[in-house]
Short mmCIF file of all heavy atoms in Angstrom, two decimals:
data_model
loop_
_atom_site.label_atom_id
_atom_site.label_comp_id
_atom_site.label_asym_id
_atom_site.label_seq_id
_atom_site.Cartn_x
_atom_site.Cartn_y
_atom_site.Cartn_z
N MET A 1 143.38 53.41 54.65
CA MET A 1 142.39 53.22 53.60
C MET A 1 141.62 54.53 53.38
O MET A 1 141.28 55.22 54.33
CB MET A 1 141.42 52.11 53.99
CG MET A 1 140.56 51.67 52.83
SD MET A 1 139.76 50.10 53.14
CE MET A 1 138.31 50.62 54.03
N THR A 2 141.35 54.86 52.13
CA THR A 2 140.66 56.11 51.82
C THR A 2 139.15 55.91 51.92
O THR A 2 138.62 54.92 51.43
CB THR A 2 141.03 56.57 50.40
OG1 THR A 2 142.44 56.69 50.31
CG2 THR A 2 140.40 57.90 50.08
N SER A 3 138.50 56.87 52.58
CA SER A 3 137.04 56.81 52.73
C SER A 3 136.36 57.00 51.38
O SER A 3 136.87 57.69 50.50
CB SER A 3 136.62 57.92 53.69
OG SER A 3 135.25 58.16 53.59
N ASP A 4 135.19 56.39 51.19
CA ASP A 4 134.45 56.62 49.95
C ASP A 4 133.41 57.73 50.13
O ASP A 4 132.57 57.95 49.28
CB ASP A 4 133.80 55.34 49.43
CG ASP A 4 132.81 54.75 50.41
OD1 ASP A 4 132.61 55.35 51.49
OD2 ASP A 4 132.23 53.69 50.10
N ARG A 5 133.49 58.43 51.27
CA ARG A 5 132.58 59.56 51.47
C ARG A 5 133.01 60.73 50.59
O ARG A 5 134.19 60.90 50.29
CB ARG A 5 132.57 59.99 52.94
CG ARG A 5 131.89 58.96 53.83
CD ARG A 5 131.84 59.43 55.25
NE ARG A 5 133.18 59.68 55.76
CZ ARG A 5 133.45 60.40 56.84
NH1 ARG A 5 132.47 60.95 57.53
NH2 ARG A 5 134.69 60.58 57.24
N HIS A 6 132.04 61.54 50.18
CA HIS A 6 132.31 62.65 49.27
C HIS A 6 131.62 63.89 49.81
O HIS A 6 130.42 63.90 50.00
CB HIS A 6 131.77 62.29 47.88
CG HIS A 6 132.15 63.27 46.80
ND1 HIS A 6 131.78 63.11 45.50
CD2 HIS A 6 132.87 64.42 46.84
CE1 HIS A 6 132.25 64.11 44.77
NE2 HIS A 6 132.91 64.92 45.57
N PHE A 7 132.42 64.92 50.09
CA PHE A 7 131.89 66.17 50.64
C PHE A 7 131.82 67.19 49.51
O PHE A 7 132.82 67.44 48.83
CB PHE A 7 132.85 66.67 51.73
CG PHE A 7 132.16 67.37 52.86
CD1 PHE A 7 132.01 66.75 54.09
CD2 PHE A 7 131.68 68.66 52.71
CE1 PHE A 7 131.38 67.39 55.14
CE2 PHE A 7 131.05 69.31 53.75
CZ PHE A 7 130.90 68.68 54.98
N VAL A 8 130.64 67.76 49.27
CA VAL A 8 130.48 68.78 48.22
C VAL A 8 130.21 70.13 48.89
O VAL A 8 129.28 70.25 49.69
CB VAL A 8 129.32 68.42 47.25
CG1 VAL A 8 129.13 69.52 46.22
CG2 VAL A 8 129.60 67.08 46.58
N ILE A 9 131.04 71.11 48.58
CA ILE A 9 130.90 72.45 49.15
C ILE A 9 130.46 73.38 48.02
O ILE A 9 131.14 73.50 47.00
CB ILE A 9 132.25 72.95 49.72
CG1 ILE A 9 132.80 71.95 50.74
CG2 ILE A 9 132.08 74.34 50.33
CD1 ILE A 9 134.24 72.23 51.16
N VAL A 10 129.32 74.02 48.18
CA VAL A 10 128.83 74.93 47.13
C VAL A 10 129.16 76.36 47.52
O VAL A 10 128.78 76.83 48.60
CB VAL A 10 127.30 74.77 46.92
CG1 VAL A 10 126.79 75.75 45.87
CG2 VAL A 10 126.97 73.33 46.52
N GLY A 11 129.89 77.04 46.63
CA GLY A 11 130.35 78.40 46.89
C GLY A 11 131.87 78.37 47.05
O GLY A 11 132.37 77.71 47.96
N GLY A 12 132.59 79.03 46.17
CA GLY A 12 134.05 78.93 46.19
C GLY A 12 134.74 80.13 46.78
O GLY A 12 135.70 80.65 46.21
N GLY A 13 134.28 80.60 47.92
CA GLY A 13 134.92 81.73 48.59
C GLY A 13 135.81 81.28 49.73
O GLY A 13 136.21 80.11 49.82
N LEU A 14 136.14 82.22 50.61
CA LEU A 14 137.04 81.93 51.73
C LEU A 14 136.46 80.86 52.65
O LEU A 14 137.18 79.95 53.10
CB LEU A 14 137.33 83.21 52.52
CG LEU A 14 138.33 83.09 53.65
CD1 LEU A 14 139.71 82.68 53.12
CD2 LEU A 14 138.42 84.39 54.43
N ALA A 15 135.15 80.97 52.93
CA ALA A 15 134.54 79.98 53.84
C ALA A 15 134.65 78.57 53.26
O ALA A 15 134.93 77.61 53.99
CB ALA A 15 133.08 80.35 54.09
N ALA A 16 134.46 78.45 51.95
CA ALA A 16 134.56 77.14 51.31
C ALA A 16 135.98 76.60 51.42
O ALA A 16 136.19 75.43 51.76
CB ALA A 16 134.16 77.26 49.83
N ALA A 17 136.96 77.46 51.16
CA ALA A 17 138.35 77.01 51.23
C ALA A 17 138.72 76.60 52.65
O ALA A 17 139.42 75.61 52.86
CB ALA A 17 139.28 78.13 50.74
N LYS A 18 138.25 77.38 53.63
CA LYS A 18 138.57 77.07 55.03
C LYS A 18 137.86 75.79 55.48
O LYS A 18 138.40 75.03 56.29
CB LYS A 18 138.21 78.25 55.93
CG LYS A 18 139.13 79.44 55.72
CD LYS A 18 140.56 79.06 56.07
CE LYS A 18 141.55 80.12 55.66
NZ LYS A 18 142.95 79.70 55.93
N LEU A 19 136.65 75.55 54.96
CA LEU A 19 135.96 74.29 55.28
C LEU A 19 136.74 73.11 54.71
O LEU A 19 136.94 72.09 55.40
CB LEU A 19 134.53 74.31 54.72
CG LEU A 19 133.76 72.99 54.85
CD1 LEU A 19 133.73 72.46 56.28
CD2 LEU A 19 132.34 73.16 54.32
N ALA A 20 137.22 73.23 53.47
CA ALA A 20 138.01 72.15 52.88
C ALA A 20 139.27 71.90 53.73
O ALA A 20 139.63 70.75 54.00
CB ALA A 20 138.40 72.50 51.43
N GLU A 21 139.93 72.98 54.17
CA GLU A 21 141.12 72.82 55.03
C GLU A 21 140.74 72.12 56.34
O GLU A 21 141.45 71.23 56.80
CB GLU A 21 141.72 74.19 55.37
CG GLU A 21 142.55 74.80 54.26
CD GLU A 21 143.16 76.14 54.70
OE1 GLU A 21 142.99 76.55 55.87
OE2 GLU A 21 143.79 76.78 53.84
N ALA A 22 139.61 72.53 56.92
CA ALA A 22 139.20 71.95 58.20
C ALA A 22 138.89 70.46 58.06
O ALA A 22 139.20 69.66 58.95
CB ALA A 22 137.97 72.70 58.75
N LEU A 23 138.30 70.08 56.93
CA LEU A 23 138.03 68.66 56.70
C LEU A 23 139.34 67.87 56.71
O LEU A 23 139.44 66.83 57.36
CB LEU A 23 137.30 68.46 55.37
CG LEU A 23 135.83 68.90 55.35
CD1 LEU A 23 135.31 68.96 53.91
CD2 LEU A 23 134.98 67.93 56.17
N ARG A 24 140.33 68.37 55.97
CA ARG A 24 141.63 67.66 55.91
C ARG A 24 142.33 67.70 57.27
O ARG A 24 142.90 66.70 57.70
CB ARG A 24 142.53 68.28 54.84
CG ARG A 24 142.05 68.02 53.42
CD ARG A 24 142.04 66.54 53.09
NE ARG A 24 141.64 66.30 51.71
CZ ARG A 24 140.75 65.40 51.32
NH1 ARG A 24 140.15 64.62 52.21
NH2 ARG A 24 140.45 65.23 50.05
N ASP A 25 142.27 68.85 57.95
CA ASP A 25 142.92 68.96 59.26
C ASP A 25 142.29 68.01 60.28
O ASP A 25 142.93 67.63 61.26
CB ASP A 25 142.81 70.40 59.81
CG ASP A 25 143.71 71.37 59.05
OD1 ASP A 25 144.56 70.91 58.27
OD2 ASP A 25 143.53 72.59 59.23
N ASN A 26 141.02 67.64 60.04
CA ASN A 26 140.33 66.74 60.96
C ASN A 26 140.24 65.33 60.39
O ASN A 26 139.33 64.57 60.71
CB ASN A 26 138.94 67.30 61.31
CG ASN A 26 139.06 68.48 62.25
OD1 ASN A 26 139.23 68.31 63.45
ND2 ASN A 26 139.02 69.70 61.70
N ASP A 27 141.21 65.02 59.52
CA ASP A 27 141.41 63.66 59.02
C ASP A 27 140.31 63.12 58.11
O ASP A 27 140.18 61.91 57.98
CB ASP A 27 141.64 62.68 60.20
CG ASP A 27 142.85 63.11 61.02
OD1 ASP A 27 143.81 63.63 60.43
OD2 ASP A 27 142.80 62.94 62.26
N PHE A 28 139.53 64.00 57.50
CA PHE A 28 138.58 63.52 56.49
C PHE A 28 139.39 63.13 55.27
O PHE A 28 140.12 63.94 54.70
CB PHE A 28 137.57 64.62 56.12
CG PHE A 28 136.61 64.20 55.04
CD1 PHE A 28 135.55 63.36 55.32
CD2 PHE A 28 136.79 64.63 53.73
CE1 PHE A 28 134.67 62.96 54.32
CE2 PHE A 28 135.91 64.24 52.72
CZ PHE A 28 134.86 63.40 53.02
N ASP A 29 139.31 61.86 54.86
CA ASP A 29 140.15 61.40 53.75
C ASP A 29 139.33 60.99 52.53
O ASP A 29 139.85 60.34 51.62
CB ASP A 29 141.09 60.26 54.19
CG ASP A 29 140.32 59.03 54.62
OD1 ASP A 29 139.08 59.10 54.69
OD2 ASP A 29 140.97 58.00 54.87
N GLY A 30 138.06 61.40 52.48
CA GLY A 30 137.26 61.17 51.29
C GLY A 30 137.49 62.27 50.27
O GLY A 30 138.41 63.07 50.38
N SER A 31 136.65 62.31 49.27
CA SER A 31 136.77 63.33 48.22
C SER A 31 136.14 64.65 48.68
O SER A 31 135.14 64.64 49.40
CB SER A 31 136.04 62.89 46.95
OG SER A 31 136.54 61.65 46.52
N VAL A 32 136.72 65.75 48.24
CA VAL A 32 136.15 67.07 48.50
C VAL A 32 136.01 67.77 47.16
O VAL A 32 136.98 67.90 46.40
CB VAL A 32 137.05 67.92 49.44
CG1 VAL A 32 136.43 69.30 49.64
CG2 VAL A 32 137.25 67.21 50.78
N THR A 33 134.80 68.21 46.84
CA THR A 33 134.54 68.97 45.61
C THR A 33 134.03 70.35 46.00
O THR A 33 133.10 70.46 46.80
CB THR A 33 133.49 68.26 44.74
OG1 THR A 33 133.97 66.96 44.40
CG2 THR A 33 133.21 69.05 43.46
N VAL A 34 134.65 71.38 45.47
CA VAL A 34 134.19 72.75 45.69
C VAL A 34 133.57 73.25 44.39
O VAL A 34 134.22 73.25 43.35
CB VAL A 34 135.34 73.68 46.13
CG1 VAL A 34 134.82 75.12 46.31
CG2 VAL A 34 135.98 73.18 47.42
N ILE A 35 132.29 73.64 44.45
CA ILE A 35 131.60 74.16 43.27
C ILE A 35 131.45 75.66 43.44
O ILE A 35 130.83 76.13 44.40
CB ILE A 35 130.20 73.51 43.12
CG1 ILE A 35 130.35 72.00 42.95
CG2 ILE A 35 129.44 74.13 41.94
CD1 ILE A 35 129.03 71.25 42.96
N GLY A 36 132.05 76.42 42.54
CA GLY A 36 132.00 77.88 42.65
C GLY A 36 131.50 78.52 41.37
O GLY A 36 131.56 77.93 40.29
N ALA A 37 131.01 79.73 41.48
CA ALA A 37 130.48 80.45 40.32
C ALA A 37 131.57 81.29 39.64
O ALA A 37 131.33 81.86 38.58
CB ALA A 37 129.32 81.34 40.74
N GLU A 38 132.73 81.41 40.29
CA GLU A 38 133.81 82.22 39.72
C GLU A 38 134.85 81.33 39.04
O GLU A 38 134.98 80.16 39.40
CB GLU A 38 134.49 83.03 40.83
CG GLU A 38 133.56 84.01 41.51
CD GLU A 38 134.28 84.81 42.59
OE1 GLU A 38 135.12 85.64 42.24
OE2 GLU A 38 133.99 84.58 43.77
N GLU A 39 135.60 81.89 38.11
CA GLU A 39 136.64 81.11 37.43
C GLU A 39 137.86 80.92 38.32
O GLU A 39 138.60 79.97 38.17
CB GLU A 39 137.06 81.81 36.13
CG GLU A 39 135.99 81.73 35.06
CD GLU A 39 136.44 82.40 33.76
OE1 GLU A 39 137.64 82.67 33.62
OE2 GLU A 39 135.56 82.63 32.91
N GLN A 40 138.08 81.84 39.28
CA GLN A 40 139.27 81.81 40.11
C GLN A 40 139.14 80.76 41.22
O GLN A 40 138.04 80.44 41.66
CB GLN A 40 139.51 83.17 40.78
CG GLN A 40 139.91 84.26 39.83
CD GLN A 40 138.73 84.85 39.06
OE1 GLN A 40 137.58 84.64 39.42
NE2 GLN A 40 139.02 85.54 37.99
N LEU A 41 140.28 80.28 41.68
CA LEU A 41 140.31 79.47 42.89
C LEU A 41 139.89 80.37 44.05
O LEU A 41 139.98 81.60 43.95
CB LEU A 41 141.74 78.96 43.13
CG LEU A 41 142.25 77.93 42.13
CD1 LEU A 41 143.75 77.75 42.29
CD2 LEU A 41 141.53 76.59 42.33
N PRO A 42 139.43 79.79 45.18
CA PRO A 42 139.05 80.63 46.31
C PRO A 42 140.18 81.57 46.74
O PRO A 42 141.33 81.17 46.85
CB PRO A 42 138.76 79.59 47.42
CG PRO A 42 138.31 78.38 46.67
CD PRO A 42 139.17 78.36 45.43
N TYR A 43 139.82 82.84 46.94
CA TYR A 43 140.81 83.84 47.34
C TYR A 43 140.24 84.71 48.45
O TYR A 43 139.03 84.77 48.66
CB TYR A 43 141.25 84.70 46.14
CG TYR A 43 140.12 85.45 45.47
CD1 TYR A 43 139.80 86.75 45.84
CD2 TYR A 43 139.38 84.85 44.46
CE1 TYR A 43 138.76 87.44 45.24
CE2 TYR A 43 138.34 85.52 43.85
CZ TYR A 43 138.03 86.82 44.24
OH TYR A 43 136.98 87.48 43.65
N ASP A 44 141.14 85.35 49.17
CA ASP A 44 140.79 86.25 50.26
C ASP A 44 140.38 87.59 49.64
O ASP A 44 141.16 88.17 48.87
CB ASP A 44 142.04 86.40 51.14
CG ASP A 44 141.73 86.92 52.51
OD1 ASP A 44 140.56 86.91 52.91
OD2 ASP A 44 142.69 87.35 53.19
N ARG A 45 139.20 88.11 49.96
CA ARG A 45 138.72 89.30 49.25
C ARG A 45 139.27 90.65 49.76
O ARG A 45 139.45 91.57 48.96
CB ARG A 45 137.19 89.34 49.26
CG ARG A 45 136.59 88.17 48.51
CD ARG A 45 135.15 88.38 48.19
NE ARG A 45 134.48 87.13 47.88
CZ ARG A 45 134.61 86.46 46.74
NH1 ARG A 45 135.38 86.92 45.80
NH2 ARG A 45 133.98 85.31 46.56
N PRO A 46 139.51 90.83 51.07
CA PRO A 46 139.96 92.16 51.53
C PRO A 46 141.15 92.73 50.75
O PRO A 46 141.15 93.94 50.46
CB PRO A 46 140.27 91.93 53.01
CG PRO A 46 139.27 90.90 53.41
CD PRO A 46 139.19 89.95 52.21
N PRO A 47 142.17 91.93 50.37
CA PRO A 47 143.29 92.54 49.62
C PRO A 47 142.89 93.08 48.25
O PRO A 47 143.65 93.85 47.65
CB PRO A 47 144.30 91.39 49.47
CG PRO A 47 143.94 90.41 50.53
CD PRO A 47 142.45 90.52 50.70
N LEU A 48 141.69 92.71 47.76
CA LEU A 48 141.24 93.24 46.46
C LEU A 48 141.27 94.76 46.47
O LEU A 48 141.81 95.40 45.57
CB LEU A 48 139.80 92.80 46.16
CG LEU A 48 139.54 91.44 45.55
CD1 LEU A 48 138.04 91.26 45.37
CD2 LEU A 48 140.28 91.28 44.24
N SER A 49 140.65 95.35 47.51
CA SER A 49 140.52 96.80 47.55
C SER A 49 141.72 97.47 48.21
O SER A 49 141.92 98.67 48.07
CB SER A 49 139.24 97.20 48.28
OG SER A 49 139.17 96.58 49.55
N LYS A 50 142.51 96.69 48.97
CA LYS A 50 143.62 97.30 49.71
C LYS A 50 144.96 97.18 48.99
O LYS A 50 145.82 98.02 49.16
CB LYS A 50 143.69 96.70 51.11
CG LYS A 50 142.49 97.13 51.95
CD LYS A 50 142.06 96.11 52.96
CE LYS A 50 140.76 96.52 53.62
NZ LYS A 50 139.57 96.12 52.83
N GLU A 51 145.14 96.12 48.21
CA GLU A 51 146.44 95.94 47.57
C GLU A 51 146.35 95.67 46.07
O GLU A 51 147.15 96.20 45.29
CB GLU A 51 147.19 94.79 48.26
CG GLU A 51 147.64 95.15 49.67
CD GLU A 51 147.88 93.95 50.55
OE1 GLU A 51 146.97 93.10 50.69
OE2 GLU A 51 148.98 93.86 51.11
N HIS A 52 145.35 94.86 45.69
CA HIS A 52 145.26 94.48 44.28
C HIS A 52 144.99 95.68 43.38
O HIS A 52 145.66 95.87 42.35
CB HIS A 52 144.17 93.42 44.11
CG HIS A 52 144.05 92.88 42.73
ND1 HIS A 52 145.08 92.24 42.10
CD2 HIS A 52 143.01 92.87 41.85
CE1 HIS A 52 144.69 91.88 40.89
NE2 HIS A 52 143.45 92.25 40.73
N LEU A 53 144.00 96.51 43.76
CA LEU A 53 143.66 97.67 42.93
C LEU A 53 144.81 98.69 42.86
O LEU A 53 144.89 99.48 41.94
CB LEU A 53 142.38 98.35 43.44
CG LEU A 53 141.08 97.59 43.17
CD1 LEU A 53 139.90 98.36 43.73
CD2 LEU A 53 140.89 97.35 41.68
N LEU A 54 145.67 98.67 43.87
CA LEU A 54 146.83 99.58 43.87
C LEU A 54 148.01 98.97 43.13
O LEU A 54 149.09 99.57 43.08
CB LEU A 54 147.23 99.90 45.32
CG LEU A 54 146.17 100.64 46.15
CD1 LEU A 54 146.62 100.77 47.60
CD2 LEU A 54 145.90 102.02 45.55
N GLY A 55 147.81 97.76 42.60
CA GLY A 55 148.87 97.11 41.83
C GLY A 55 149.98 96.51 42.69
O GLY A 55 151.05 96.16 42.19
N LYS A 56 149.71 96.36 44.00
CA LYS A 56 150.76 95.84 44.90
C LYS A 56 150.81 94.32 44.90
O LYS A 56 151.83 93.73 45.23
CB LYS A 56 150.53 96.35 46.33
CG LYS A 56 150.73 97.85 46.49
CD LYS A 56 150.47 98.26 47.93
CE LYS A 56 150.68 99.75 48.13
NZ LYS A 56 150.27 100.19 49.49
N LYS A 57 149.66 93.69 44.63
CA LYS A 57 149.61 92.22 44.66
C LYS A 57 148.74 91.70 43.54
O LYS A 57 147.75 92.35 43.15
CB LYS A 57 149.03 91.74 46.00
CG LYS A 57 150.00 91.80 47.15
CD LYS A 57 149.47 91.07 48.36
CE LYS A 57 150.51 91.02 49.47
NZ LYS A 57 150.01 90.34 50.67
N SER A 58 149.09 90.52 43.04
CA SER A 58 148.26 89.87 42.04
C SER A 58 147.28 88.94 42.75
O SER A 58 147.45 88.63 43.94
CB SER A 58 149.14 89.06 41.08
OG SER A 58 149.66 87.93 41.74
N LEU A 59 146.25 88.51 42.03
CA LEU A 59 145.24 87.64 42.62
C LEU A 59 145.87 86.36 43.18
O LEU A 59 145.46 85.85 44.22
CB LEU A 59 144.19 87.29 41.56
CG LEU A 59 142.84 86.80 42.06
CD1 LEU A 59 142.21 87.76 43.03
CD2 LEU A 59 141.91 86.55 40.87
N GLU A 60 146.89 85.87 42.50
CA GLU A 60 147.55 84.63 42.96
C GLU A 60 148.16 84.81 44.35
O GLU A 60 148.27 83.85 45.12
CB GLU A 60 148.66 84.20 41.98
CG GLU A 60 148.17 83.69 40.64
CD GLU A 60 147.64 84.81 39.75
OE1 GLU A 60 148.21 85.92 39.77
OE2 GLU A 60 146.64 84.58 39.04
N ASP A 61 148.54 86.05 44.67
CA ASP A 61 149.17 86.29 45.98
C ASP A 61 148.22 86.05 47.14
O ASP A 61 148.67 85.80 48.26
CB ASP A 61 149.71 87.73 46.06
CG ASP A 61 150.86 87.98 45.13
OD1 ASP A 61 151.62 87.03 44.87
OD2 ASP A 61 151.00 89.11 44.64
N PHE A 62 146.93 86.17 46.90
CA PHE A 62 146.00 85.93 48.01
C PHE A 62 144.97 84.83 47.71
O PHE A 62 143.91 84.77 48.32
CB PHE A 62 145.35 87.22 48.53
CG PHE A 62 144.88 88.19 47.47
CD1 PHE A 62 143.57 88.16 47.06
CD2 PHE A 62 145.75 89.12 46.93
CE1 PHE A 62 143.13 89.05 46.11
CE2 PHE A 62 145.31 90.01 45.96
CZ PHE A 62 143.99 89.97 45.55
N THR A 63 145.36 83.95 46.78
CA THR A 63 144.60 82.72 46.59
C THR A 63 144.83 81.85 47.82
O THR A 63 145.96 81.73 48.30
CB THR A 63 145.09 82.01 45.30
OG1 THR A 63 144.78 82.86 44.20
CG2 THR A 63 144.42 80.66 45.12
N VAL A 64 143.76 81.26 48.35
CA VAL A 64 143.88 80.56 49.64
C VAL A 64 144.80 79.35 49.53
O VAL A 64 145.71 79.17 50.34
CB VAL A 64 142.50 80.14 50.19
CG1 VAL A 64 142.63 79.49 51.56
CG2 VAL A 64 141.57 81.35 50.28
N ASN A 65 144.56 78.51 48.55
CA ASN A 65 145.40 77.33 48.34
C ASN A 65 145.66 77.17 46.84
O ASN A 65 144.77 77.44 46.03
CB ASN A 65 144.71 76.06 48.85
CG ASN A 65 144.64 76.02 50.36
OD1 ASN A 65 145.65 76.06 51.04
ND2 ASN A 65 143.43 75.96 50.89
N PRO A 66 146.84 76.68 46.47
CA PRO A 66 147.09 76.45 45.04
C PRO A 66 146.20 75.31 44.52
O PRO A 66 145.71 74.49 45.29
CB PRO A 66 148.57 76.05 45.00
CG PRO A 66 148.91 75.62 46.38
CD PRO A 66 147.99 76.33 47.31
N GLY A 67 146.00 75.30 43.21
CA GLY A 67 145.12 74.30 42.61
C GLY A 67 145.51 72.87 42.95
O GLY A 67 144.65 72.03 43.17
N GLN A 68 146.81 72.60 43.01
CA GLN A 68 147.28 71.24 43.34
C GLN A 68 146.76 70.79 44.68
O GLN A 68 146.46 69.62 44.89
CB GLN A 68 148.81 71.20 43.35
CG GLN A 68 149.45 71.28 42.00
CD GLN A 68 149.11 70.06 41.16
OE1 GLN A 68 148.12 70.06 40.47
NE2 GLN A 68 149.93 69.03 41.24
N TRP A 69 146.67 71.75 45.62
CA TRP A 69 146.20 71.41 46.97
C TRP A 69 144.79 70.90 46.88
O TRP A 69 144.39 69.95 47.48
CB TRP A 69 146.30 72.63 47.90
CG TRP A 69 145.99 72.30 49.32
CD1 TRP A 69 146.88 71.93 50.29
CD2 TRP A 69 144.69 72.27 49.95
NE1 TRP A 69 146.21 71.68 51.46
CE2 TRP A 69 144.88 71.88 51.29
CE3 TRP A 69 143.39 72.52 49.51
CZ2 TRP A 69 143.83 71.73 52.20
CZ3 TRP A 69 142.34 72.38 50.40
CH2 TRP A 69 142.56 72.00 51.73
C1 FAD B 101 136.67 94.37 48.00
C2 FAD B 101 136.33 93.73 49.32
C3 FAD B 101 137.01 94.12 50.48
C4 FAD B 101 136.70 93.53 51.72
N1 FAD B 101 137.39 93.93 52.84
C5 FAD B 101 137.09 93.37 54.02
C6 FAD B 101 137.79 93.77 55.20
O1 FAD B 101 138.67 94.63 55.18
N2 FAD B 101 137.44 93.18 56.38
C7 FAD B 101 136.45 92.22 56.46
O2 FAD B 101 136.18 91.71 57.56
N3 FAD B 101 135.79 91.83 55.35
C8 FAD B 101 136.07 92.38 54.15
N4 FAD B 101 135.39 91.99 53.03
C9 FAD B 101 134.34 90.97 53.18
C10 FAD B 101 134.93 89.57 53.19
O3 FAD B 101 135.78 89.40 52.07
C11 FAD B 101 133.76 88.59 53.17
O4 FAD B 101 133.17 88.66 54.45
C12 FAD B 101 134.20 87.18 52.85
O5 FAD B 101 134.67 87.12 51.54
C13 FAD B 101 133.05 86.23 53.03
O6 FAD B 101 133.52 84.95 52.63
P1 FAD B 101 132.50 83.83 52.22
O7 FAD B 101 133.33 82.67 51.73
O8 FAD B 101 131.56 83.58 53.33
O9 FAD B 101 131.61 84.44 51.05
P2 FAD B 101 132.04 84.98 49.63
O10 FAD B 101 133.43 85.53 49.63
O11 FAD B 101 130.90 85.87 49.21
O12 FAD B 101 132.06 83.68 48.72
C14 FAD B 101 130.88 83.02 48.31
C15 FAD B 101 131.19 82.34 46.98
O13 FAD B 101 130.09 81.51 46.61
C16 FAD B 101 129.82 81.69 45.26
N5 FAD B 101 128.43 81.32 45.05
C17 FAD B 101 127.32 81.93 45.53
N6 FAD B 101 126.23 81.27 45.16
C18 FAD B 101 126.65 80.20 44.43
C19 FAD B 101 125.99 79.14 43.76
N7 FAD B 101 124.65 79.02 43.79
N8 FAD B 101 126.72 78.23 43.09
C20 FAD B 101 128.09 78.33 43.08
N9 FAD B 101 128.77 79.32 43.70
C21 FAD B 101 128.05 80.23 44.35
C22 FAD B 101 130.14 83.12 44.96
O14 FAD B 101 130.42 83.33 43.61
C23 FAD B 101 131.40 83.31 45.81
O15 FAD B 101 132.57 82.95 45.11
C24 FAD B 101 135.68 92.54 51.79
C25 FAD B 101 134.99 92.14 50.62
C26 FAD B 101 135.31 92.72 49.40
C27 FAD B 101 134.56 92.27 48.15
#
């Protein structure tokens, strides 16, 4: 049975994405909503300056989880 609890995470960065993963890994089966100020899905920031600006990787390559997840 699915829980009717609802977890709201404010801030759509790496910590938010990892918290959402931890909730699922620890069997939280209620709703999870991530509220972020950016248009992008949560992504890992270090590759921005190390690979993205050099044209080696696109933002999708270091998005933490796909939208479907
Ligand atoms: C270019 C770059 C290179 C980096 N390289 C390294 C590295 O090599 N090694 C390293 O250890 N660290 C590096 N960092 C730092 C690392 O990326 C951060 O420590 C990490 O992103 C922190 O993650 P976070 O989720 O805690 O916060 P953030 O990534 O800052 O995410 C917070 C999110 O919350 C959103 N937000 C804030 N306030 C609100 C609000 N009121 N409502 C809605 N949304 C809100 C913000 O828009 C943001 O998306 C780098 C950072 C950058 C920018």
Side-chain angles (χ1 to χ4, degrees):
M1 192 164 85
T2 304
S3 163
D4 60 1
R5 290 182 301 163
H6 188 179
F7 214 105
V8 177
I9 305 169
V10 178
L14 184 62
K18 290 298 170 184
L19 173 54
E21 282 182 3
L23 287 167
R24 291 298 183 226
D25 288 349
N26 287 280
D27 302 325
F28 177 76
D29 63 353
S31 303
V32 178
T33 300
V34 178
I35 299 173
E38 298 181 69
E39 289 181 14
Q40 291 79 16
L41 291 167
Y43 59 93
D44 198 15
R45 296 196 199 285
L48 277 180
S49 53
K50 291 148 188 85
E51 290 158 306
H52 184 59
L53 287 180
L54 297 174
K56 293 179 180 173
K57 283 191 174 179
S58 70
L59 200 55
E60 290 73 36
D61 292 329
F62 43 95
T63 295
V64 184
N65 289 302
Q68 287 295 89
W69 187 92

